[in-house]
Amino acid sequence: MKILVTGGAGFIGSAVVRHIINDTNDSVVNLDKLTYAGNLENLSAVSTSERYTFEQVDICNRAELDRVFAQHQPDAVMHLAAESHVDRSIDGPAAFIETNVVGTLTLLEVARSYWQELDEGRKAAFRFHHISTDEVYGDLPHPDDVANSEPIGAGHARDNDTELPLFTETTAYAPSSPYSASKASSDHLVRAWRRTYGLPTIITNCSNNYGPYHFPEKLIPHVILNALHGKPLPIYGKGDQIRDWLYVEDHARALYRVITQGAVGETYNIGGHNEKRNIEVVQAICTILDDLVSSQAPKGGHSTLITYVKDRPGHDRRYAIDASKIANELGWQPEETFETGLRKTVEWYLNNEQWWQRVLNGDYQLARLGNK
Ligand SMILES: NC(=O)c1ccc[n+]([C@@H]2O[C@H](COP(=O)([O-])OP(=O)(O)OC[C@H]3O[C@@H](n4cnc5c(N)ncnc54)[C@H](O)[C@@H]3O)[C@@H](O)[C@H]2O)c1
């Protein structure tokens, strides 16, 4: 099978491309605009494979997308290209609407024209897999606020241990940030293209990812690198926001399971059963660093670098995924616990200084000039 992966030079997309090339016999066409978040150095281990091709294309460019589909004749699309950082969406929402909404619309239209012309066998087997986020569901009651919380709406499950609600595939959409609103819009477009035109689509909504090759603006790599440099570790508000963390390679395996075995028209939630407060995540990173680089630790340990900063506006309090559908129907389970995945991640940053130094000083973008 030949899979067109959009956003394959990003954090999750590159994990998906590495997984497909290293662990399956399928081929990949990586279509990526190479924004600041795209880094071809994430793919250096697989880019010489004859089953890998790269196309530097913007998903808003219809003519170029038509050319790529005609030239490469994909059997499936995994759509990950997006503007993905919530803080950037608060500062400048327009780029999020352009790529996440208009870009998804353009890709759907090109995929539909291409799919309609396929012979019956290839048409029936074609898949358009849209990769989305649990942030489309808004936030959930937080354990500290439960006494004051409103009754929850329809579609939630309950955690067996805490009795707190979880997001399911039928939870109503209630996005809070420009980022999550743009992703919610794109999910609605994908469902409409299934219902109206019959395009064989599947949607996945995943919780927060972490792991190797994560761009340093995101919480976990930001904390690791600041701690290594003895800089303050900024925590929004009280650091009590809860996220459900998933190791990126577990997400990549789940996405491949869905594109190869998922049922058309379905939605699957993907999560790691790892609800953690942000402050717990930062403390855990500090403890691992105290262990692995004890000679560089400040007096009192890396956690002495923690500083509390003004909270992000509209900051969601808690996300937590009920991932029982993908477990029961497709047999997927995460392989990493939060403890094993976080330790692997910290070790990866310690062992791959060249990668993050080139991101921090901008050299990864200069290397692209050779690819134009
Ligand atoms: N990071 C998470 O925790 C998380 C969780 C759930 C879902 N998601 C979703 O997974 C997808 C990938 O997330 P990520 O964290 O890897 O993002 P990322 O920002 O690391 O990567 C995005 C990639 O898309 C490319 N891109 C951006 N605009 C483009 C355009 N107009 N045309 C073509 N390429 C473009 C970028 O160059 C980059 O390579 C996104 O759709 C995101 O919404 C992310």
Side-chain angles (χ1 to χ4, degrees), residues 55-363:
E55 292 277 4
Q56 185 170 0
V57 168
D58 184 336
I59 56 166
C60 298
N61 185 334
R62 169 138 202 175
E64 272 292 274
L65 287 182
D66 280 329
R67 175 191 64 76
V68 168
F69 275 74
Q71 185 177 330
H72 295 285
Q73 297 284 311
D75 302 297
V77 174
M78 296 174 86
H79 175 35
L80 295 100
E83 287 292 338
S84 71
H85 191 46
V86 175
D87 287 342
R88 285 179 188 257
S89 83
I90 294 168
D91 292 343
F96 286 71
I97 305 306
E98 185 64 15
T99 286
N100 301 359
V101 184
V102 179
T104 300
L105 164 72
T106 312
L107 186 67
L108 280 167
E109 279 297 80
V110 170
R112 180 166 75 91
S113 313
Y114 166 81
W115 168 75
Q116 278 171 335
E117 298 303 318
L118 293 175
D119 64 45
E120 284 311 310
R122 291 193 67 210
K123 196 171 177 184
F126 187 80
R127 297 286 180 270
F128 184 104
H129 177 180
H130 177 62
I131 284 80
S132 191
T133 166
D134 62 353
E135 298 189 32
V136 298
Y137 300 125
D139 64 357
L140 287 166
H142 190 285
D144 295 353
D145 308 336
V146 169
N148 309 322
S149 70
E150 309 263 314
I152 60 163
H156 293 92
R158 291 210 177 256
D159 185 279
N160 287 338
D161 300 325
T162 62
E163 282 294 303
L164 287 168
L166 303 170
F167 297 134
T168 72
E169 289 79 0
T170 57
T171 298
Y173 277 35
S176 308
S177 70
Y179 164 67
S180 52
S182 71
K183 291 299 290 188
S185 308
S186 64
D187 292 11
H188 289 319
L189 291 175
V190 172
R191 285 202 181 87
W193 260 240
R194 165 81 191 134
R195 173 89 185 236
T196 305
Y197 305 110
L199 188 70
T201 62
I202 308 181
I203 297 177
T204 49
N205 296 88
C206 187
S207 58
N208 279 45
N209 283 218
Y210 69 99
Y213 302 99
H214 207 179
F215 198 80
E217 68 188 357
K218 303 282 172 82
L219 176 72
I220 288 180
H222 185 66
V223 166
I224 296 170
L225 298 185
N226 271 21
L228 283 176
H229 290 103
K231 291 186 187 167
L233 309 180
I235 307 273
Y236 280 130
K238 290 187 282 181
D240 58 355
Q241 308 84 2
I242 294 175
R243 302 291 180 258
D244 181 355
W245 293 94
L246 180 68
Y247 191 63
V248 67
E249 291 173 11
D250 275 324
H251 189 194
R253 286 185 278 268
L255 295 178
Y256 186 75
R257 185 73 60 94
V258 168
I259 190 100
T260 51
Q261 296 177 30
V264 167
E266 292 295 322
T267 296
Y268 299 91
N269 279 356
I270 306 173
H273 314 292
N274 286 313
E275 281 185 58
K276 302 281 176 204
R277 291 170 192 249
N278 285 348
I279 186 68
E280 289 178 89
V281 173
V282 175
Q283 295 277 16
I285 294 169
C286 291
T287 305
I288 295 171
L289 283 173
D290 288 346
D291 181 28
L292 295 178
V293 289
S294 52
S295 60
Q296 292 170 33
K299 194 160 172 272
H302 288 92
S303 62
T304 56
L305 299 169
I306 291 173
T307 49
Y308 293 88
V309 299
K310 189 167 177 286
D311 206 355
R312 172 194 276 169
H315 208 169
D316 286 335
R317 297 277 289 146
R318 173 172 168 259
Y319 304 139
I321 284 265
D322 174 3
S324 54
K325 179 175 173 180
I326 188 171
N328 296 336
E329 296 184 11
L330 303 182
W332 172 85
Q333 292 279 1
E335 292 177 13
E336 302 292 343
T337 63
F338 187 68
E339 289 67 31
T340 61
L342 191 64
R343 197 167 181 96
K344 275 189 180 179
T345 304
V346 175
E347 285 171 345
W348 187 88
Y349 279 88
L350 290 175
N351 295 331
N352 289 276
E353 181 169 346
Q354 195 191 356
W355 180 87
W356 53 260
Q357 286 288 13
R358 287 171 62 75
V359 173
L360 293 181
N361 66 25
D363 283 355

